[in-house]
Amino acid sequence: MKFQIKYFAAVLAAASLFVSCNNDDDSAIVEGTHGDAELFFDNGVAGDALIIGNTYTNSNGESLTINRFNYIISNVVLIREDGTEYVYPKEESYFVINHADELQTVHLEGVAAGDYKKIRFGIGVDQQRYLQGETAQQSFWDLAAANDLTWTWSTGYRFINFEGVFTSTADAEAKPFQVHQGSNTATDNYREVTLDLPTTARVRENEQPSIHIKTDINVLLDGDTKILLQNNLNGAGTAAAIMGGQNLIDIAANSLKMFTVDHVHNGVGSHHE
């Protein structure tokens, strides 16, 4: 009887080891292989979901009814635990996020298999890319233009297009506002942000991670530096527009805290939860 118990225990242990090895093999990194990954940008306002047409009040005492929120994400880099990086090909690494059209997912194809612990990306378009000229980036320029993320070619891209109407404690009459963040001849407002992933993003031939990134639009005007729309009214006092100067430098700094990674899904297919 003791022999039988020992025999069955040995069989179970061997079976467990076999299953464990198979699971390890399934998730092992195979050098030279590639898979896909996706970034899902979940736009919100100070913890609330962003709903176009809804009104949100910030700590500046201004209530904003948001009608547009589009932006450009670029130069994606995935970073392993040991600090080595997978740089997504630059020519393919420019993406538009358009909340109203539910264009919120960035698909990354042909990513080197690996376990990734951080992500870095740009907010806007870097000068190196812009200076390649219009012909070199015509397809992305056309996409950005279709999503209201360009000025004229000579003045370049809008990195962020944030628009709506607002009221303030100083004036209860609703007035339109425009915040168009981008670089200009005086300043380069392109910024890059690095985010920790709460769990490892596993890229394999048969496993696609989805990195769920929360975007807090509120920090643009109500971040470390407070920017009042009421202080940016035009001469007639009928509308507010922020499109240059120190305000854009401050907004660029605020935007570095606009993104956080909420969670990572590992598996086959897309997950937006």
Side-chain angles (χ1 to χ4, degrees), residues 8-31:
F8 284 118
V11 169
L12 288 173
S16 175
L17 180 61
F18 177 78
V19 171
S20 176
C21 287
N22 275 352
N23 287 340
D24 287 343
D25 288 343
D26 287 343
S27 61
I29 300 169
V30 179
E31 293 298 327

Side-chain angles (χ1 to χ4, degrees), residues 95-198:
F95 309 94
V96 165
I97 306 298
N98 183 330
H99 186 84
D101 289 348
E102 297 186 353
L103 188 62
Q104 294 171 244
T105 303
V106 168
H107 294 282
L108 305 175
E109 299 179 350
V111 175
D115 290 336
Y116 296 99
K117 296 294 291 183
K118 295 183 179 184
I119 184 170
R120 184 171 70 245
F121 55 83
I123 307 166
V125 176
D126 55 289
Q127 284 292 301
Q128 180 187 16
R129 178 61 168 162
Y130 176 66
L131 292 174
Q132 288 178 340
E134 187 172 2
T135 302
Q137 52 197 298
Q138 189 66 57
S139 60
F140 181 73
W141 175 266
D142 292 343
L143 175 64
N147 287 275
D148 301 294
L149 287 165
T150 59
W151 281 301
T152 63
W153 175 251
S154 61
T155 48
Y157 294 92
R158 296 170 178 152
F159 301 166
I160 299 170
N161 187 335
F162 175 29
E163 298 181 349
V165 298
F166 80 102
T167 61
S168 71
T169 54
D171 189 349
E173 181 185 353
K175 296 179 173 64
F177 74 86
Q178 295 178 314
V179 176
H180 293 170
Q181 163 72 330
S183 293
N184 51 51
T185 53
T187 57
D188 179 3
N189 289 316
Y190 171 79
R191 297 291 184 271
E192 290 188 343
V193 60
T194 301
L195 305 174
D196 292 326
L197 305 185

Side-chain angles (χ1 to χ4, degrees), residues 234-246:
N234 59 17
T238 57
I242 299 175
M243 300 184 186
Q246 184 60 44

